[in-house]
Amino acid sequence: MDTLKEMVQTDATHTIGAAALLGILFHLSIRPIEFEFVMFHFMAGSLLSFGGLIFAFVRLSEYGVLGGFMKASLFAGGFNAGLLSSIAIYRLFFHRCRSFPGPFRAKLTRFYAANLSAENVQYYKELAKMHDKYGDFVRTGQREISILRKSAVPLIYGPNSECLRSTWYGQTGNDPKKCSIHMTRDFNDHRMRRRAWDRGFSIKALATHEPRIKAKADFFMSQLAKSSGKPMDMSAWAIGVEHPAIKGVHSHMAMLGIMSTVPWLLNVLGSIPGAAAGYSEFFSFCAEQIREKHKDGEKIPQDIVSWLLKAVKDKEASASPSPAALEDDSRVVIIAGSETTATTLAGGAYYLAKCPEKQKKLQKLLDQAMPGGYGQWSCDAVKSVSYLDDFINETLRLKPALLTGGPRETPAKGMHVDEVFIPGNTNVLISTHLIQRDPRWWQEPEEFIPERFGEKRTEMGTDKAPYLPFSLGMCLRLPGKNVAQMSQRTSLSAIAQNFDVSFAPGEMGEEFDKEVLDAFTVTLPPIQLQFTPRKRQ
Ligand code: HEM
C-alpha cells in the first residue's frame, strides 16, 4: 500500500499542475460557445475520459487498478480545479458584466439562483430583495442582468427588439426542428411558424372556440350551484378536473421551476435516458391527442392543435417542422393555455371576494347589459361591459400568471437602457411582478383599482406605465391573449352574474395573496371562497 502511495505521490504535483493547466486552456477555448448545449456531452465525455485514463495508467505503467484510479483521480481533480478557478476568476474580474452589482455568489454561478428558488419556490421575493439592495440593474447570474426600468420593456420584449431568446429556451433540447414554437430561438423560424398559429387564433377560428368556452363555463356554474354557499378551494377549482397525465406535469411544476434557473440542467437531465420518465404519460397523452385528430380529419379545424395539424397536412412552410415539434407545440397549448387561464380566473374570483364594492359595480353593469340574467348571456353583451376587461386587466397587473419575463440575449453590439450600457450577449430579463407594482409608474400600486384601466386611465397614468402580463411578443399579439380574454370574460361574467362571492369563514386571503409559488407559471395556494346564488332584484 505504501509503495502504491509513493508511486502516485512521486509526480503528483506534476500531474495536478499539468491537468490544471489543461483545465484553464479548456476554459479559454470554450468561452465563445454556448456551452449549455454541449454540457451533457461534456459530462458524458468526462466520465468516459476518466475511465480511459484509469485504463491508460494501468496499461501503460506499472500501476494496478487502484493506483490507476488514484492517478486518474488526481488528474481529474487538477483539471477541475484549473477549470473552475479559471471560470471563477474570469467571472469575477474579467467578465463583461463585472461592473454590475449583485450578490457575490450570483456572479459565480446560476446554482445560487437555484438554491434561492429551492428554499420556498419563491424566487420572485428574492429578486425583490436584490433589487431593493442593488438598484434597477442587478447581476443575477454570471451573464444575467435583471432590470427594473420601464424603458427596458420594449427594448427587451417589444416587437422591434434586437434581443433574442436566451439559452433558457434550449432547455427541452438543442434541435430547433424538434421543439415547440415557444422554444424556437431563431427569429425567422419563429416568425415563419407563427403563421400557422395565426390561423388558429384568427377571428374566424375564435368563433369556433366561443361555444365550447361557454359550455365549460355553464358546467362550472352548475358545479358552483351544487355546492352553493359551501366553502370551495377556488385555486383547485379553476384548474378543474385534470386529466391524470396533466396532473403528473402539474405535480412536477415546482421542481421544473427550481431547475430551470440553471439553463443547462433540464437539458442535461432530458438527455439522460429515462430521466424524463415522470413526464412520459403526459408526452404519450399529447401524442395520442394528435393521432386522434389525424383520424378525425375535420374539414374546419375546431381547436388550435387541429389548425397546427392542418398546416402539417397541407405541407405549409409554417407547419411544425417534425412530428416531435408538433407534439411539443401541443404540450405548449396545454400548459401555456390551461395553467395561465386557471390562475388568472382564481385571481379574479379572489378580488371579487376581497373587494365587495367592485363586485357590486361589476354585477350592476352586467345586469344592465343583460337584464334577463344569465339566460340572456352573449359574447357581444359581455364585450360591451368594459369594466369587466378593466377588472381582468387589473387582476393580471397584480397577479400575472408568469411572474418573470423569459430571459432574452442582448445583440452582440450590446444595448443602452437609459444611461446604462448592457454588454452584448448578456441575458436580460424583467420581473413582471415587480415592474407592475412599481410606485414610480403605478399610483397606489398595491391597491386593486380596475378603474385605472377605465375612467381613471389618464388620471392614474396607466398608458405610460409598464404592463406586460402577456409579454409583448406573440402571446400578446396573437394566440393567448384573444383566447385568454374570451375565456376570462366568459367565466368571470358568469360567476358575477350568478353568484355573490365572499371569503369563507376564517379565510383572510393572506396566504393566497402573498405566498404564491414561482414554478415558471404561478402555483397558487388554496383559497376558500363561498359562492352564494344571487337574489336578483
Ligand atoms: C391569462 C392567460 C395567459 C397569460 C397571462 C399568458 C402569458 C404568456 C406570456 C407572458 C408568454 C411569454 C412567455 C415567454 O416569454 O417565455 C406567453 C407565451 C405563450 N402563450 Fe400565453 N398566456 C395566457 C394564455 C394563453 C393561452 C390561452 C394560450 C393558447 C392556448 C397561450 C399560448 C401561448 C403560446 C403559444 C406562447 C408562446 C409564444 C411564443 O413562443 O411566441 N397563452 N404567454
Side-chain angles (χ1 to χ4, degrees):
M1 189 64 190
D2 282 344
T3 342
L4 187 66
K5 247 188 188 162
E6 250 174 49
M7 272 194 315
V8 176
Q9 277 168 358
T10 334
D11 56 356
T13 330
H14 283 110
T15 309
I16 294 173
L21 190 65
L22 209 61
I24 296 169
L25 289 175
F26 180 72
H27 172 227
L28 296 179
S29 66
I30 60 168
R31 266 189 32 219
I33 62 170
E34 287 185 325
F35 198 71
E36 287 95 329
F37 291 140
V38 287
M39 190 60 101
F40 174 73
H41 303 93
F42 170 69
M43 287 177 162
S46 301
L47 274 177
L48 283 176
S49 311
F50 188 66
L53 271 179
I54 299 176
F55 180 75
F57 281 128
V58 174
R59 283 298 294 267
L60 303 176
S61 67
E62 68 279 21
Y63 301 137
V65 174
L66 191 57
F69 176 78
M70 289 176 78
K71 193 86 179 163
S73 300
L74 276 183
F75 190 88
F79 179 85
N80 285 327
L83 175 65
L84 294 177
S85 318
S86 174
I87 290 176
I89 291 169
Y90 170 71
R91 287 179 178 174
L92 287 176
F93 303 108
F94 299 102
H95 196 279
R96 56 194 179 280
C97 294
R98 64 187 178 279
S99 60
F100 287 88
F104 176 77
R105 280 177 291 163
K107 295 174 186 180
L108 287 173
T109 168
R110 283 297 294 164
F111 279 105
Y112 176 69
N115 188 36
L116 288 180
S117 172
E119 276 173 27
N120 298 314
V121 200
Q122 291 179 322
Y123 184 67
Y124 64 102
K125 288 191 181 173
E126 304 298 334
L127 202 54
K129 285 185 216 157
M130 290 187 227
H131 276 290
D132 279 349
K133 184 165 177 189
Y134 299 105
D136 289 348
F137 297 81
V138 182
R139 188 174 173 196
T140 43
Q142 58 274 19
R143 64 163 172 139
E144 183 182 279
I145 312 285
S146 171
I147 303 177
L148 264 192
R149 284 284 175 90
K150 177 187 143 184
S151 49
V153 174
L155 287 173
I156 296 177
Y157 298 113
N160 299 323
S161 167
E162 291 184 276
C163 297
L164 293 177
R165 293 181 168 184
S166 73
T167 46
W168 187 93
Y169 289 84
Q171 305 199 38
T172 51
N174 306 340
D175 188 346
K177 298 284 173 229
K178 290 189 181 159
C179 66
S180 73
I181 187 159
H182 184 222
M183 294 294 175
T184 302
R185 296 176 68 206
D186 182 85
F187 181 79
N188 291 324
D189 277 358
H190 186 267
R191 201 165 50 176
M192 173 72 79
R193 281 176 74 174
R194 243 185 50 191
R195 290 189 200 143
W197 287 76
D198 289 4
R199 274 174 233 121
F201 291 96
S202 64
I203 303 289
K204 196 171 125 205
L206 280 182
T208 62
H209 300 321
E210 274 175 20
R212 302 171 77 196
I213 292 177
K214 176 66 173 26
K216 295 272 178 220
D218 288 345
F219 176 72
F220 188 33
M221 291 311 107
S222 67
Q223 296 301 306
L224 291 180
K226 268 190 208 158
S227 56
S228 101
K230 289 194 210 104
M232 290 177 60
D233 176 6
M234 185 60 193
S235 299
W237 270 88
I239 290 278
V241 184
E242 291 174 290
H243 188 283
I246 301 175
K247 205 171 193 163
V249 176
H250 282 155
S251 61
H252 286 84
M253 278 315 251
M255 190 48 76
L256 278 183
I258 296 167
M259 290 202 298
S260 66
T261 49
V262 182
W264 52 263
L265 205 53
L266 283 175
N267 194 322
V268 166
L269 284 177
S271 308
I272 300 171
Y279 302 104
S280 55
E281 207 182 335
F282 176 55
F283 281 38
S284 327
F285 168 74
C286 294
E288 180 59 26
Q289 296 291 306
I290 294 192
R291 268 194 298 276
E292 285 300 311
K293 285 183 191 303
H294 246 304
K295 278 193 234 149
D296 270 5
E298 304 155 322
K299 287 223 166 55
I300 300 172
Q302 296 295 312
D303 61 29
I304 296 142
V305 174
S306 304
W307 279 100
L308 298 181
L309 200 56
K310 183 172 179 339
V312 172
K313 281 183 185 161
D314 295 351
K315 298 196 171 43
E316 287 173 21
S318 61
S320 316
S322 67
L326 182 64
E327 281 176 26
D328 208 12
D329 275 336
S330 72
R331 293 194 279 270
V332 168
V333 171
I334 291 174
I335 297 298
S338 67
E339 197 83 12
T340 48
T341 309
T343 52
T344 310
L345 179 60
Y350 161 80
Y351 283 117
L352 286 175
K354 187 171 180 214
C355 311
E357 74 293 354
K358 312 279 182 207
Q359 180 177 181
K360 291 253 146 10
K361 180 172 172 182
L362 180 61
Q363 287 172 330
K364 192 172 157 202
L365 291 166
L366 288 168
D367 290 349
Q368 279 167 6
M370 290 163 279
Y374 191 55
Q376 210 187 8
W377 189 100
S378 77
C379 253
D380 288 339
V382 163
K383 264 190 225 157
S384 73
V385 181
S386 59
Y387 189 66
L388 180 61
D389 284 351
D390 303 341
F391 200 99
I392 296 167
N393 287 338
E394 181 69 339
T395 303
L396 281 165
R397 180 183 75 81
L398 287 169
K399 305 221 168 290
L402 270 71
L403 297 173
T404 309
R408 301 287 189 265
E409 188 175 328
T410 56
K413 63 179 179 188
M415 69 179 201
H416 272 95
V417 175
D418 301 331
E419 76 288 2
V420 178
F421 177 72
I422 315 281
N425 305 112
T426 299
N427 295 342
V428 280
L429 54 88
I430 293 176
S431 161
T432 313
H433 166 76
L434 292 180
I435 208 157
Q436 291 189 166
R437 288 170 181 246
D438 196 313
R440 288 176 288 180
W441 303 293
W442 294 99
Q443 292 179 31
E444 301 178 64
E446 301 297 329
E447 299 304 315
F448 183 77
I449 309 176
E451 291 75 8
R452 72 172 86 237
F453 287 93
E455 62 265 35
K456 292 191 177 166
R457 206 175 184 108
T458 315
E459 181 190 332
M460 299 192 81
T462 307
D463 289 330
K464 294 190 186 122
Y467 184 66
L468 62 156
F470 292 95
S471 190
L472 297 188
M474 183 168 150
C475 196
L476 173 74
R477 281 176 291 138
L478 292 159
K481 194 178 177 200
N482 293 341
V483 179
Q485 236 174 7
M486 188 196 290
S487 66
Q488 293 300 323
R489 276 189 199 129
T490 310
S491 359
L492 206 65
S493 63
I495 292 177
Q497 267 185 302
N498 288 302
F499 299 96
D500 286 322
V501 187
S502 57
F503 287 141
E507 177 64 80
M508 306 300 284
E510 280 286 302
E511 194 193 349
F512 180 86
D513 195 27
K514 304 268 186 294
E515 300 301 335
V516 299
L517 303 187
D518 186 357
F520 176 54
T521 49
V522 156
T523 303
L524 297 173
I527 174 96
Q528 298 295 335
L529 298 181
Q530 260 173 218
F531 295 83
T532 312
R534 277 180 71 199
K535 290 186 192 68
R536 292 175 56 81
Q537 284 88 29

